[in-house]
Amino acid sequence: MTLAMIITISVPLIILIYMLKVLLAHRTEVTSMNGMVVAMSIGMVIGLLGGGILGVAFQSIFFATFLSMILGLIIGGIYGALCSTFAMIDGMLSGMMAGMMGVMLINMITPSYYEIMIKILFVITVIVLIILMFSLCHELKLYQSFAYRLIKNVGVVMFFLLILVFMYEHSGPLFNHIHEHQTEHHEHE
């Protein structure tokens, strides 16, 4: 596993764990509509990113689609179940659909664009999760929480995102086997 892949997985995971902690502590205060938005948003961005990564990692489209659908279904379902049954259903279905779309997206583009597409999906995922975290803290009136105070300062968020993108861009390739294949292809020409 490359450093870029570790960043791709760990940054959303850290945000998701913090959001899970907030939801567990305040689950009775979250309205049904907010719970549905949280579950659908998380299921969608994790399903897309996971589907993209699995679509590149596995040669079998069927296997990658199946795993990414399960990933989106589980993540969306967990966050939805914390709020209501309808939110759980919404999260599961949007996660499942996004998992399929992530694999389809990767299979529609040429291999030379795999890395940039995963990086774009990563940035979108992080931005959506940060906005969702801010909105959830604001809705729950958690004005003194670390996440709310950090995210409320736009300069800090922009600095964090710039550092993250810079680190991410200079952390090497996401997938070793793609670069090995492209290097072999160029040597034969």
Side-chain angles (χ1 to χ4, degrees), residues 45-150:
V45 295
I46 297 302
L48 271 172
L49 182 62
I53 292 170
L54 293 172
V56 174
F58 294 108
Q59 297 298 321
S60 169
I61 295 173
F62 172 77
F63 193 63
T65 304
F66 177 74
L67 285 179
S68 63
M69 285 173 58
I70 296 297
L71 174 71
L73 182 133
I74 289 171
I75 297 296
I78 288 172
Y79 282 85
L82 295 173
C83 303
S84 70
T85 307
F86 286 124
M88 181 180 76
I89 293 169
D90 276 346
M92 289 169 62
L93 293 176
S94 69
M96 227 170 64
M97 182 177 63
M100 285 188 283
M101 290 188 306
V103 175
M104 285 190 302
L105 174 65
I106 287 300
N107 282 292
M108 287 190 286
I109 61 177
T110 59
S112 60
Y113 292 110
Y114 286 169
E115 296 253 341
I116 191 68
M117 184 53 68
I118 298 296
K119 289 179 180 182
I120 290 169
L121 290 175
F122 168 76
V123 170
I124 290 170
T125 298
V126 169
I127 289 171
V128 167
L129 290 176
I130 287 173
I131 292 170
L132 195 59
M133 188 71 225
F134 179 77
S135 300
L136 189 63
C137 287
H138 183 74
E139 187 66 33
L140 295 173
K141 297 176 178 40
L142 301 174
Y143 303 124
Q144 298 304 315
S145 71
F146 172 74
Y148 186 82
R149 287 183 286 137
L150 184 68

